[in-house]
Amino acid sequence: MLDVVETFVSINGEGIKAGQLAFFLRLKGCNLRCSYCDTMWANEPECEYTRRDTDDIYREIKETGIKNVTITGGEPLCRDGIHELLELLSEDDTLSVEIETNGSVFLEPYMNMENRPSMTMDYKLPSSGMEKYMRCENFGLIDMRDTVKFVSGSIEDLERARQIIYEYGLIGKCNILFSPVFGKINAEDIVEFMKQHCLNGTAVQLQLHKYIWPPDKRGV
């Protein structure tokens, strides 16, 4: 059983499938408290949720006809029952499953299943206040099916991201995205940083859903 906050169909606002339709499954709860979190409401104890079993969730996904599935939170990999859900979804090779994970959870248990999900893993930079919880051993598990995302709120964050990229040899190993903390840094500054340091193999990405709809709108 999983604590489901909401399900909906929209476009992926970020990640390597940005702009594509996806079925979203948002689970309750997170083990981190990032300074810029835009879904804190889903992590509060009083947040409303529905207890649902994996078969029920799978049936809803199939009824939509949508092939991309994005599982998010909160932190979905901290939830009891998530492994069972991923095993069930992996049996359906018509689905493409993406996990949005915060970088603090060890990924190895999820990387060996057949038709495994792709991982979009944040690396929490200094302005998040959560960098000390990052599991850098995950960098040895990911490949080009996966994405490392650096949500950056300052030039200092970008400098730290560049250090991590080179320390762990991420260019050519996985997809690398820079995303600005909404309202904290200009995307232009990120592009200039990329140019200054000749960061081939990386990309800047804006959160599309915050430009299509109001930034605080849910269910999109």
Side-chain angles (χ1 to χ4, degrees):
M1 302 291 288
L2 289 160
D3 296 344
V4 178
V5 173
E6 61 179 353
T7 61
F8 57 93
V9 172
S10 186
I11 60 162
N12 271 311
E14 50 197 323
I16 59 173
K17 294 187 176 180
Q20 296 185 28
L21 286 173
F23 176 94
F24 283 82
L25 172 67
R26 186 181 303 283
L27 303 179
K28 180 181 179 179
C30 188
N31 59 325
L32 300 184
R33 287 293 184 270
C34 296
S35 62
Y36 50 74
C37 181
D38 55 7
T39 53
M40 189 64 74
W41 59 271
N43 306 326
E44 300 298 343
E46 65 273 14
C47 175
E48 294 184 4
Y49 65 93
T50 303
R51 293 280 286 168
R52 297 180 60 180
D53 65 39
T54 56
D55 289 335
D56 181 43
I57 293 169
Y58 177 67
R59 280 194 296 271
E60 182 181 357
I61 293 170
K62 295 299 288 184
E63 286 170 0
T64 68
I66 301 298
K67 303 301 184 183
N68 293 326
V69 178
T70 299
I71 303 177
T72 187
E75 172 47 60
L77 296 183
C78 284
R79 309 277 66 86
D80 292 338
I82 188 62
H83 200 282
E84 290 78 4
L85 176 62
L86 294 179
E87 288 282 6
L88 176 61
L89 297 182
S90 73
E91 295 172 2
D92 187 337
D93 60 10
T94 70
L95 299 178
S96 178
V97 180
E98 175 187 3
I99 302 288
E100 293 187 338
T101 182
N102 65 23
S104 71
V105 179
F106 188 42
L107 299 183
E108 193 276 334
Y110 311 98
M111 304 301 271
N112 296 320
M113 63 179 64
E114 188 173 354
N115 192 31
R116 73 163 176 87
S118 64
M119 298 292 178
T120 295
M121 184 183 76
D122 277 13
Y123 183 91
K124 302 300 183 185
L125 296 166
S127 71
S128 72
M130 296 288 117
E131 186 178 15
K132 65 182 178 181
Y133 298 107
M134 295 298 94
R135 298 286 298 267
C136 292
E137 61 267 43
N138 285 330
F139 293 137
L141 302 172
I142 58 177
D143 58 32
M144 288 304 298
R145 289 171 285 185
D146 308 305
T147 301
V148 174
K149 183 174 64 173
F150 295 99
V151 179
S152 306
S154 66
I155 297 300
E156 290 75 21
D157 278 354
L158 293 171
E159 290 286 2
R160 177 59 176 155
R162 185 169 71 96
Q163 179 183 2
I164 292 294
I165 287 168
Y166 286 112
E167 181 177 351
Y168 291 95
L170 298 184
I171 293 175
K173 181 180 180 63
C174 62
N175 301 287
I176 302 170
L177 298 177
F178 292 105
S179 181
V181 177
F182 195 79
K184 293 292 185 182
I185 189 173
N186 292 324
E188 180 181 357
D189 294 333
I190 298 179
V191 175
E192 289 302 318
F193 184 87
M194 292 166 62
K195 289 163 58 179
Q196 178 185 354
H197 295 286
C198 199
L199 287 172
N200 295 302
T202 72
V204 66
Q205 185 174 86
L206 307 181
Q207 293 176 296
L208 289 178
H209 52 289
K210 292 185 178 180
Y211 293 86
I212 298 173
W213 298 280
D216 57 351
K217 187 175 177 63
R218 300 182 187 179
V220 296

